[in-house]
Amino acid sequence: MTLLRERSGRRQAGPPGAGGLLKGLLLTARPKQWVKNVLVIAAPAAAGELFSVVALTRLALVFVLFTACAAAVYLVNDARDAEADRAHPAKCRRPVAAGQVPVPLAYAAGAVLGVLAPVVAARLCPPEVAGLLTAYLGMQLAYCVSLKHVLVVDLAVVTAGFVMRAVIGGLALGIPLSRWFLITTGFGALFMVAAKRYSEAVQLAGKAGATRALLTEYSPGYLRFVWQLAAGVAVLGYCLWALEEGGLPHTSVLPWRQLSVVAFVLAVLRYAVFADRGTAGEPEDVVLGDRALALIGLVWAAMYALAVADW
């Protein structure tokens, strides 16, 4: 009887219409993940070159292009992992795994976005932007095919994706990138990536349906070590940046750059609470959903802005 009901349900559902396909493609592109691409403004904001019509226009374009590249990777990834995702307690609801979006259509949409974004960048942005987008696509597709099965390299690839987001805004506007910016961004990203893996390992321990092949290879203790190490290096890099005056005394009311260290450290410590609990599996939900972390972030952003403005 159960089998008959399942078959009846499939016949009633029928093939998805155009609206269902478009909605499925949009969901597969992970709109919740687009918040990560706001990192394209990081370098211009740090250099105080964010608020001009030219900068905002170009950064908006870069944001759209990077989002298109990321969506292309998500589409290809979900098409490749459709069978494995069907065995996962949560990922089975993804449109490709659930049959809402056919696998060939996901591949085709990913290919169109993956080709279109670098071509548009080559015509409208400096050549470094198109080069970085192409490198991002190549690296992420290699990750989908094989690199996600290589210990430590999988963490490095995902971390590199965050660093590329932070770097591309500087390339788009011709802004030099400091070593402290790259160190803080890189290890801050590794902190969040390792915390995400640690949370997944904790939540799926002893359960079937783990689709990340390496979760069974990493021990929770090792992943905890990685995110703790990365958090420490990120804080150290930020502190060195904040204390580096370049030989010039500050002329602002207060040393905002140095004071911003307090907010930065508090933000790391607050995020580490969720990492320690094993509930940092969705970083965007932690960042956007925790009011205390959001408040600390706003205070840090205000101090950072005052430091850049030398107020």
Side-chain angles (χ1 to χ4, degrees), residues 16-301:
L21 283 175
L22 289 175
K23 181 180 179 182
L25 287 171
L26 179 62
L27 291 175
T28 305
R30 312 277 209 284
K32 287 177 64 177
Q33 303 283 351
W34 295 354
V35 67
K36 298 175 183 176
N37 300 328
V38 176
L39 276 172
V40 301
I41 72 170
E49 298 185 20
L50 182 60
F51 298 106
S52 70
V53 175
V54 174
L56 291 175
T57 301
R58 182 160 290 180
L59 289 174
L61 175 61
V62 169
F63 174 85
V64 172
L65 294 176
F66 211 109
T67 299
C69 288
V73 174
Y74 289 133
L75 285 159
V76 172
N77 179 75
D78 281 12
R80 282 186 55 84
D81 290 348
E83 287 297 329
D85 286 347
R86 292 187 184 106
H88 191 277
K91 295 179 182 180
C92 62
R93 293 190 289 270
R94 288 178 174 175
V96 179
Q100 184 180 356
V101 175
V103 170
L105 180 60
Y107 275 125
V112 169
L113 290 175
V115 171
L116 189 61
V119 170
V120 173
R123 294 182 62 86
L124 301 179
C125 299
E128 295 86 357
V129 173
L132 186 65
L133 289 177
T134 303
Y136 173 82
L137 284 167
M139 182 183 69
Q140 293 298 325
L141 291 176
Y143 174 84
C144 292
V145 173
S146 63
L147 295 183
K148 65 182 178 182
H149 303 296
V150 183
L151 284 168
V152 181
V153 172
D154 71 310
L155 298 176
V157 170
V158 179
T159 299
F162 282 95
V163 176
M164 287 180 170
R165 288 174 170 87
V167 165
I168 198 169
L171 295 179
L173 299 180
I175 297 172
L177 302 170
S178 76
R179 60 189 183 278
W180 303 126
F181 175 83
L182 295 174
I183 289 172
T184 302
T185 303
F187 282 94
L190 179 59
F191 164 51
M192 299 183 76
V193 170
K196 176 181 173 68
R197 292 287 193 274
Y198 173 78
S199 297
E200 291 174 340
V202 169
Q203 293 170 7
L204 293 175
K207 298 180 181 178
T211 58
R212 292 196 190 277
L214 291 187
L215 277 183
T216 56
E217 300 292 331
Y218 289 121
S219 69
Y222 175 79
L223 291 171
R224 175 186 285 273
F225 162 75
V226 173
W227 69 253
Q228 289 176 338
L229 175 65
V233 177
V235 168
L236 178 61
Y238 190 88
C239 290
L240 290 173
W241 168 82
L243 296 174
E244 185 182 63
E245 293 285 1
L248 297 174
H250 72 84
T251 58
S252 57
V253 176
L254 290 172
W256 297 114
R257 195 157 78 161
Q258 288 82 356
L259 290 174
S260 70
V261 169
V262 177
F264 184 85
V265 173
L266 286 176
V268 171
L269 292 176
R270 180 70 184 182
Y271 194 93
V273 170
F274 297 93
D276 184 65
R277 293 174 180 171
T279 57
E282 298 294 338
E284 61 278 4
D285 290 342
V286 176
V287 173
L288 299 176
D290 183 62
R291 292 183 179 180
L293 184 58
L295 178 60
I296 294 170
L298 288 174
V299 171
W300 171 83

